Amino acid sequence: VHKSYIWVGPLIALVVVIAAVLLNGASGWVQLIMFIQEEGFRLEVLTVVLGAVGGFVLLWLVITGLYALAYKHMSYVFDPLEFSFYSGVFVKKRVHMPYEKVQSVNHRASLIQRLVGVCTVTIDSAGGSANKAVRVPYVTLQTAERMRNDLFVRKAAAAAGVPVEYIGDEAVAAGAAAPGAPGGAPVPPGMPPVAPAAVPGAGAPNIIDDAFQPVGDWRGLYGGAVLAEEPVTFEYSLSNKELVLASISHPGPLAAGLIVALSLLVCVGIALTQSDWFAAVLLAFGVPLALVAAIVVWALGSLGILLGYGGFKVRRRGSRIEVERGLITRNFSGIDVDRIQYVEVRQSVFRRLLRHSELSLGRIGTSSQSSSENKESAAKGLLIHPFVANGSVNALLDGLLPEFADRPAKDACAKLPPKALGRNVRRRCLWFNWVLWTALICLGCWALTIYLILADDPTVDAVKAQLVFDHLVGIAAAIAAVAVVLSVAYYAVSAVLWARHSRYGWNKRYLLLHNDGLSTVLRIVPRTKIQSGITRDNPFQRRVALTTLQAVTAAGVNRTTVQLLDVPAAQGAAYLEWLE
């Protein structure tokens, strides 16, 4: 790996150690200062500063020595049949990945790594949680591009049973031209030369990408020039509207702001049980403070999402889908088309109102993706568009995935029977309405407390309890009643939309399941990617001749189950016959 591993790695580790010492050890520093003052010790400021700096320098030297020792024992090799990675000083580790098992080759560069021009390459296999991805740290961006090219060329050569040759520094299958050269990298069968203009707004520049173009293209000190690769047959970038609306409508910042507001309002509600003057102050400033805090949290979170989507590009290159994004931390992810487990079109409540969707590809994850850096990737697959207009979804899929051109059309798929509506209303509004059951549990606790007060239980201070209830019960009952009414209305509307607009269908190659509601999820699953097909029905469903369709795929770290409830039992039998 690159020599910057010896000094950049220790630098990042030292920053983490210093932050931990300053934050987690703050109370210890305060106690030390108080002890020095109480005992009358006299220490010069310069002595303290020099001691701290000397300690950190000594720590940095120790960490650097360990990294240098690890660097000498770390290497990777392109063997004839597999990629090999060697590491470890005392405990030796050797990882061998056959080329035909390579699923995707991704790289990620933090801010410090981008300044230097290096990144960490992650080579994923179809391993799931039992297998860890091969992580090669600290290679230059140019080397990462060459590694990705070599791995996919060798994978294709292994599948075709032909040897690999080198033209210059580029690996090619025997008898083929160099990647990027005229006549090289043939377009896969059925891949039309789709121009970016096939999708409205495709390739349109946005303010963030224009203003920070040097930042987005920055390759650092050791990055090197961009290598010639297979030609791009389709590319899409975010427009101004898509970039901004994708950021402000992202569910993460919205949920964080809502949680902050509700937490502060709960604190205000509890404090209202105290003295009258304190309650008046909280009533005057508590609610506005909660709203302001929620807006600030939402705005900061949206800004982080905006920077994360900066420089967003999705492209089709040969048989691969590639996504590159991020202004500060740069992420490059890709997947071979034959590794796609399903296509997902998802809408949150807010995005449904805006008539836009989020488009992603389900893929098999590895245990390394469950780390903090890629939790979202492991859970949601490969995000290929965060905010696409509903009318452009099909055009975008046709450009990126012409192999899915014969997928079932949603409008041509079957609807759920009328009896599914009543079942879903009862299920959502009554049996699985957690707001309703929480309110009932609180009502039971309140009734029990009142009983103890009336029964003169010696463990209850009746006077204090009565004062608390005078302030709290009326407010709590009103809030609970409003919450129950709103939840029932929300779930009822969602149940009606689900029963009326959910769809299911299949053709020779694909299964389509669409779960509608205030938020929607549509998945298109290739039949060859279904590991097991299941129909499940409980006694209530059997009584009305309904069943649940399920398709289990290998997507995610473990697996993913795609399902639709309350399909006619006859269609469930037909589904199993289709799988056979």
Side-chain angles (χ1 to χ4, degrees), residues 102-426:
V102 174
Q103 173 176 273
S104 61
V105 183
N106 312 319
H107 70 252
R108 183 178 187 271
S110 65
L111 177 60
I112 297 179
Q113 286 179 317
R114 292 193 67 196
L115 294 175
V116 178
V118 297
C119 62
T120 297
V121 175
T122 304
I123 307 170
D124 286 339
S125 65
S129 60
N131 259 0
K132 289 186 176 181
V134 180
R135 299 179 74 253
V136 184
Y138 288 85
V139 296
T140 65
L141 293 174
Q142 191 177 55
T143 302
E145 292 164 0
R146 180 174 291 116
M147 288 177 64
R148 184 168 59 250
N149 173 73
D150 285 5
L151 285 167
F152 281 116
V153 167
R154 289 173 178 272
K155 176 182 177 180
V162 298
V164 172
E165 299 175 350
Y166 275 83
I167 299 179
D169 290 332
E170 299 295 323
V172 296
V187 177
M191 182 64 196
V194 182
V199 180
N206 57 68
I207 296 176
I208 293 294
D209 291 351
D210 285 346
F212 295 92
Q213 187 68 29
V215 177
D217 294 339
W218 176 256
R219 299 179 69 80
L221 184 62
Y222 306 113
V226 178
L227 292 180
E229 295 186 282
E230 295 176 88
V232 174
T233 53
F234 184 89
E235 187 172 273
Y236 193 101
S237 60
L238 299 182
S239 64
N240 284 321
K241 175 184 175 182
E242 292 170 341
L243 181 64
V244 174
L245 291 179
S247 304
I248 64 176
S249 65
H250 194 278
L254 289 173
L258 182 61
I259 290 172
V260 169
L262 291 178
S263 301
L264 292 176
L265 289 177
V266 168
C267 294
V268 170
I270 294 175
L272 287 177
T273 62
Q274 306 302 315
S275 59
D276 293 338
W277 67 269
F278 189 53
V281 172
L282 282 176
L283 203 57
F285 298 101
V287 174
L289 178 62
L291 294 177
V292 170
I295 292 174
V296 170
V297 170
W298 167 75
L300 292 177
S302 299
L303 178 61
I305 299 297
L306 183 72
L307 296 176
Y309 286 149
F312 187 98
K313 297 231 180 252
V314 57
R315 62 180 71 94
R316 174 68 183 253
R317 190 192 302 275
S319 63
R320 303 192 303 276
I321 306 296
E322 298 176 349
V323 177
E324 193 171 2
R325 66 185 179 95
L327 285 180
I328 297 177
T329 298
R330 195 71 174 169
N331 291 278
F332 180 97
S333 301
I335 186 174
D336 252 2
V337 173
D338 63 353
R339 293 291 185 176
I340 296 174
Q341 300 295 306
Y342 57 79
V343 175
E344 179 179 278
V345 183
R346 179 182 294 269
Q347 287 181 309
S348 62
V349 177
F350 189 42
R351 287 178 175 174
R352 176 163 188 167
L353 295 176
L354 297 175
R355 298 180 183 273
H356 280 70
S357 304
E358 179 182 281
L359 193 59
S360 60
L361 304 177
R363 61 178 178 181
I364 304 173
T366 53
S367 57
S368 69
Q369 288 181 322
S370 61
S371 62
S372 58
E373 66 182 26
N374 276 324
K375 279 186 177 180
E376 186 176 0
S377 174
K380 300 176 65 175
L382 180 62
L383 180 67
I384 59 175
H385 203 297
F387 196 80
V388 58
N390 291 343
S392 300
V393 169
N394 288 327
L396 181 59
L397 286 177
D398 291 338
L400 284 175
L401 295 169
E403 295 84 356
F404 281 65
D406 58 339
R407 61 189 180 273
K410 185 184 73 171
D411 294 339
C413 291
K415 294 183 177 181
L416 296 176
K419 49 191 172 184
L421 175 59
R423 281 184 40 80
N424 198 49
V425 169
R426 291 190 296 271

Side-chain angles (χ1 to χ4, degrees), residues 464-486:
K464 184 176 181 180
Q466 189 64 45
L467 291 175
V468 171
F469 275 71
D470 287 342
H471 288 84
L472 188 61
V473 169
I475 298 175
I479 293 175
V482 171
V484 169
V485 171
L486 290 178

Side-chain angles (χ1 to χ4, degrees), residues 7-83:
W7 60 273
V8 177
L11 181 62
I12 296 176
L14 184 64
V15 171
V16 173
V17 170
I18 292 175
V21 169
L22 294 179
L23 295 178
N24 296 335
S27 60
W29 292 110
V30 173
Q31 293 176 7
L32 178 60
I33 293 173
M34 294 176 61
F35 173 76
I36 292 174
Q37 291 177 347
E38 291 174 359
E39 298 298 328
F41 289 107
R42 305 184 66 179
L43 291 177
E44 297 292 338
V45 176
L46 182 60
T47 304
V48 176
V49 172
L50 289 178
V53 172
F56 286 126
V57 169
L58 180 61
L59 178 62
W60 177 75
L61 290 175
V62 171
I63 297 175
T64 302
L66 295 175
Y67 268 76
L69 195 60
Y71 171 79
K72 294 179 63 176
H73 294 82
M74 187 181 299
S75 60
Y76 59 91
V77 181
F78 285 90
D79 292 321
L81 299 177
E82 61 190 10
F83 177 84

